[in-house]
Amino acid sequence: MRDTDEPDTKLRKSLSSWDLTVFGVAVAVGAGIFTLTARTAGNVAGPSVSLAFVFAAVACGLAALCYAEFASTVPVAGSAYTFSYATFGEFVAWIIGWDLILEFALASAVVAKGWSLYLGEVLGTSSPVVSIGGLDVDWGALVIVAVLTVLLATGVKISSRVSLVITAIKVGVVLLIVVVGAFYIKAANYSPYIPPAVPAEKESGLTQSLFSFVTGAEGSNFGWYGLLAAASLVFFAFIGFDVVATTAEEASDPQKALPRGILGSLLIVTILYVAVTLVLTGMVKYTELGGEGATLATAFELNGITWASKVISFGALAGLTTVVMVLMLGQSRVLFAMSRDGLMPRRLAKTGSRGTPVRITVLVGIVVGLLAAFFPIGTLEEMVNIGTLFAFVLVSIGVVVLRRTRPDLKRGFRVPLVPLVPILAVLACVWLMLNLSVETWLRFVVWMALGVVVYFGYSRRHSVLGARQHADDTH
């Protein structure tokens, strides 16, 4: 916290509770609400998908309480990276920082490609991809990343104002869908609420979940197992409240603003998700949403409301704009914190007169732009999920550790029922991680191994903490 006062690497404190809540809602209400809800209802859970969202929200809420305590106690940029540094030391902090770099970069690129697809739908053309010398370039994704990079480099306050306007538009679209769809609800479509279980298609080898691989258990769609599987699928629609914690250092009153921003945004998106799923599964029988092509628009088209498809595409386009922006903001703040600590090149952490890390913001924009423009992302989406859950686990454990090691610290928010709540958060996140595929776990282990090599090859020798300890030893 003392390091945040260095004039060359100082961030401007300008964000209120409202700004932080908007950021949380901005990143959580994305394309998931328009696509994930319908597919999960049709293929996995039926009408009980609304309950799956509640289960996922509870798992997220447990982790959110831990984030809120940490963010109000150690209001420093970097989120889980900074919290791990404060409790477990430099090496574990590096591991989680390396993990967050992967999470935010891939998530930004994946969502930018999704934005590009919806742009094609709104413009009434095919996807915005051009072939240059036999190489496919997604110019739509490149354009949105470039525009948002300029916006973020201008300053975090103006970014929050733009985010507020676009978030208001997409929440307005969601509320319109709920109100219009409510008139077409038929109570008979909710029965059975939890459909009878049917055997799932058997997946083998690296594509099956780690849980199935270890236990040999065969999953099922629908039924109670399907409901729990759906909770682990829709959980990823909530990813984003942790990005609020990355801006801790820029909050004008972090002790109050951060817990309100984190918990407030989670509550708002849970209400929106549950409302949408109740309307969706009430409008049509869940069996009509089966297959991979079902979206929210499918339910409206089956009821003859054809104009809804354009409105939903427009809402998704607005939704994904702020998702990319807030994910890139999170990425730049984690890299900023790591650079200021010397684990990445220190010159990157320079903020200048604007109080914004412009160099890092531009660097993040270039990397995300290249990933989104040239790489088919596909199965790497699951990498985002495992990275986030790993961060949740460490933060939850860290709350218990910091209560023991530094009970004297001023805490703007305290997790109730410690250690019970953090333990439940860890168990919920580990269960969700076990539902991810074996190949995702293998990729994650390889990325982490590469991180260990970078740490011992560069970061450990350049770290500010290491230099201080060396100076103390020589004295």
Side-chain angles (χ1 to χ4, degrees):
M1 286 167 72
R2 215 168 27 241
D3 292 343
T4 66
D5 288 329
E6 292 178 15
D8 286 346
T9 58
K10 193 178 177 72
L11 294 170
R12 185 168 292 164
K13 296 181 185 295
S14 59
L15 298 177
S16 65
S17 304
W18 178 244
D19 293 322
L20 297 177
T21 304
V22 168
F23 275 144
V25 174
V27 75
V29 181
I33 200 165
F34 302 106
T35 55
L36 187 68
T37 45
R39 284 205 303 271
T40 308
N43 300 322
V44 187
S48 67
V49 67
S50 52
L51 188 57
F53 270 104
V54 174
F55 284 175
V58 169
C60 253
L62 293 168
L65 290 170
C66 299
Y67 267 88
E69 173 164 331
F70 250 125
S72 67
T73 311
V74 191
V76 176
S79 183
Y81 160 77
T82 301
F83 306 156
S84 298
Y85 211 127
T87 46
F88 303 114
E90 185 178 271
F91 179 66
V92 174
W94 164 263
I95 290 292
I96 201 70
W98 186 249
D99 164 56
L100 290 172
I101 288 171
L102 175 78
E103 175 199 332
F104 288 135
L106 285 180
S108 304
V110 168
V111 179
K113 287 187 88 69
W115 185 93
S116 184
L117 285 173
Y118 277 107
L119 179 66
E121 284 189 25
V122 169
L123 297 176
T125 62
S126 57
S127 62
V129 175
V130 291
S131 192
I132 302 173
L135 191 66
D136 287 341
V137 180
D138 191 331
W139 63 265
L142 204 54
V143 166
I144 189 62
V145 170
V147 169
L148 294 176
T149 300
V150 172
L151 188 64
L152 288 168
T154 308
V156 74
K157 191 65 180 178
I158 191 168
S159 302
S160 77
R161 285 176 185 148
V162 171
S163 181
L164 174 60
V165 173
I166 302 175
T167 301
I169 292 170
K170 67 180 176 183
V171 170
V173 170
V174 171
L175 293 175
L176 177 69
I177 289 164
V178 170
V179 171
V180 172
F183 288 101
Y184 294 84
I185 290 175
K186 302 173 195 72
N189 289 333
Y190 292 128
S191 182
Y193 184 67
I194 301 178
V198 296
E201 283 183 34
K202 182 156 176 64
E203 292 183 320
S204 58
L206 299 180
T207 56
Q208 65 184 318
S209 73
L210 185 66
F211 183 73
S212 298
F213 179 77
V214 172
T215 62
E218 290 187 29
S220 65
N221 291 336
F222 309 111
W224 278 100
Y225 190 92
L227 174 58
L228 291 172
S232 66
L233 281 173
V234 302
F235 167 83
F236 307 116
F238 289 95
I239 287 174
F241 74 81
D242 57 323
V243 179
V244 174
T246 67
T247 61
E249 206 173 308
E250 290 153 282
S252 48
D253 183 7
Q255 267 77 24
K256 290 179 181 174
L258 284 155
R260 286 174 186 170
I262 291 169
L263 299 171
S265 59
L266 185 62
L267 178 64
I268 291 168
V269 297
T270 302
I271 292 168
L272 288 175
Y273 282 146
V274 172
V276 167
T277 50
L278 285 172
V279 167
L280 172 74
T281 52
M283 287 177 73
V284 294
K285 195 73 178 166
Y286 72 90
T287 49
E288 295 184 84
L289 298 170
E292 285 304 305
T295 67
L296 205 51
T298 309
F300 283 83
E301 283 160 9
L302 289 170
N303 279 279
I305 316 168
T306 50
W307 56 265
S309 181
K310 280 285 182 195
V311 173
I312 288 168
S313 293
F314 179 72
L317 194 65
L320 293 179
T321 304
T322 51
V323 175
V324 178
M325 184 175 80
V326 181
L327 286 170
M328 287 173 63
L329 174 69
Q331 169 78 292
S332 63
R333 295 314 184 259
V334 171
L335 265 175
F336 168 77
M338 295 174 78
S339 301
R340 188 166 58 189
D341 293 334
L343 300 181
M344 291 287 186
R346 282 268 291 170
R347 60 183 175 276
L348 289 175
K350 195 169 179 61
T351 54
S353 59
R354 290 184 186 276
T356 304
V358 177
R359 291 176 183 177
I360 283 178
T361 303
V362 172
L363 177 65
V364 167
I366 291 169
V367 172
V368 171
L370 291 174
L371 280 172
F374 297 106
F375 289 88
I377 303 290
T379 53
L380 291 179
E381 287 180 50
E382 278 201 0
M383 292 288 285
V384 179
N385 309 336
I386 196 167
T388 305
L389 287 162
F390 181 59
F392 285 6
V393 168
L394 274 187
V395 169
S396 301
I397 295 170
V399 165
V400 180
V401 173
L402 201 63
R403 284 275 188 103
R404 291 274 176 90
T405 56
R406 292 297 303 274
D408 56 307
L409 287 177
K410 182 187 174 187
R411 288 164 169 82
F413 175 86
R414 295 178 74 88
V415 178
L417 303 174
V418 172
L420 179 63
V421 168
I423 289 170
L424 289 174
V426 170
L427 293 175
C429 293
V430 168
W431 164 251
L432 294 169
M433 289 172 84
L434 291 174
N435 280 285
L436 296 172
S437 66
V438 175
E439 63 184 344
T440 298
W441 277 88
L442 290 175
R443 288 193 187 111
F444 182 64
V445 168
V446 169
W447 175 255
M448 285 303 174
L450 180 62
V452 171
V453 171
V454 174
Y455 175 74
F456 286 104
Y458 173 87
S459 304
R460 192 178 179 207
R461 290 185 289 115
H462 292 83
S463 113
V464 173
L465 181 69
R468 278 181 193 156
Q469 289 173 341
H470 180 70
D472 290 344
D473 291 344
T474 52
H475 283 63

